[in-house]
Amino acid sequence: MARPMKIDFVSDVSCPWCIIGLRALEEALARTGDVVDAHISFQPFELNPHMPPEGQNIVEHVAQKYGATPERSAENRKMIHDRAAQLGFTMATSDQSRIYNTFDAHRLLHWAEIEGRQPALKHALFEAYFTLGENPSDHDVLVAAAEKVGLDGAAAREVLTSGRYADEVRSAEQLWQSRGINAVPAVIIDGQYLIMGGQPSEAFEQALRQIATEAEHAAPIG
């Protein structure tokens, strides 16, 4: 019998390793359906919470934040593109791409979970940013992504313009940071098992099967 499993996927929609990790996790879940019945909840994390509305060139940004040269930045980008392609995801970022603020995207994802469309919206936002090169802080881009996955566009725009769910997103961000999450993706299973980074699908599969087996043989409490 498949074991129910709650997976908190802490990530940012502008994080390339997050879509790589998500695709790999989903592949692993597809192969472990015999032992795992998983529900994924996407949790907010902002890589660049102080990014201004106009964003910043990606090469300039990684040079300032990580000290990477333009050459190293290009090498890393190609490696990430190749990893994503192996998982069936197209990344079209270049040295002209920009990094943007993602707070409003996280607010919309919070609403989408209430509406039962959070995973679909998460994928749509990854595609909008990494494949189409769109700005995930632009409300028109966010509304279009919401509509693409069957959410009501007018309701999505009202969420964005009203500032709704800002407190909930900030509270969730602070919660995960207080639990030691300072990099993403972070995959937390049943609130107690942590898997960090964009792992290969085989690594996720091994971990999922091991956790399911441990839970099956755990002694009952009480």
Side-chain angles (χ1 to χ4, degrees):
M1 178 183 295
R3 172 185 177 274
M5 188 175 286
K6 182 179 187 297
I7 300 178
D8 289 299
F9 193 91
V10 187
S11 62
D12 197 355
V13 298
S14 65
C15 163
W17 287 107
C18 292
I19 180 57
I20 288 171
L22 177 58
R23 285 278 186 146
L25 173 61
E26 289 173 336
E27 280 193 0
L29 288 171
R31 295 198 295 264
T32 55
D34 56 326
V35 294
V36 173
D37 178 17
H39 171 76
I40 300 178
S41 180
F42 293 98
Q43 303 293 340
F45 187 97
E46 291 178 84
L47 288 170
N48 301 287
H50 305 297
M51 184 64 66
E54 69 274 11
Q56 184 181 23
N57 173 269
I58 191 170
V59 177
E60 177 185 310
H61 176 76
V62 298
Q64 289 182 359
K65 191 170 183 177
Y66 305 109
T69 64
E71 293 76 18
R72 175 54 61 87
S73 180
E75 291 172 4
N76 289 342
R77 193 162 54 248
K78 183 181 184 306
M79 181 264 291
I80 289 170
H81 285 196
D82 290 345
R83 279 287 305 276
Q86 292 169 6
L87 292 161
F89 183 80
T90 300
M91 281 200 182
T93 50
S94 71
D95 58 4
Q96 298 303 309
S97 297
R98 299 184 73 78
I99 305 290
Y100 295 100
N101 184 283
T102 57
F103 185 70
D104 283 351
H106 288 299
R107 288 197 297 115
L108 200 65
L109 283 162
H110 184 94
W111 169 68
E113 183 170 33
I114 297 170
E115 297 294 316
R117 303 294 296 167
Q118 192 189 43
L121 181 61
K122 186 74 168 183
H123 278 284
L125 292 174
F126 277 134
E127 180 184 26
Y129 179 61
F130 288 112
T131 306
L132 303 178
E134 296 177 335
N135 176 356
S137 69
D138 185 307
H139 287 189
D140 289 340
V141 170
L142 294 173
V143 170
E147 291 177 334
K148 182 177 180 179
V149 301
L151 289 162
D152 181 83
R157 192 173 295 278
E158 194 279 329
V159 168
L160 294 167
T161 56
S162 68
R164 202 187 318 164
Y165 305 123
D167 290 344
E168 288 85 346
V169 168
R170 289 195 180 96
S171 178
E173 289 177 332
Q174 291 166 6
L175 172 65
W176 293 108
Q177 289 170 10
S178 73
R179 294 179 178 179
I181 303 301
N182 53 25
V184 288
V187 180
I188 300 95
I189 301 175
D190 288 340
Q192 56 182 321
Y193 303 94
L194 171 64
I195 305 171
M196 287 299 303
Q199 301 291 337
S201 59
E202 294 79 9
F204 279 120
E205 180 177 0
Q206 181 180 4
L208 290 168
R209 291 190 181 279
Q210 182 177 344
I211 292 168
T213 300
E214 288 176 359
E216 181 180 347
H217 293 97
I221 298 175

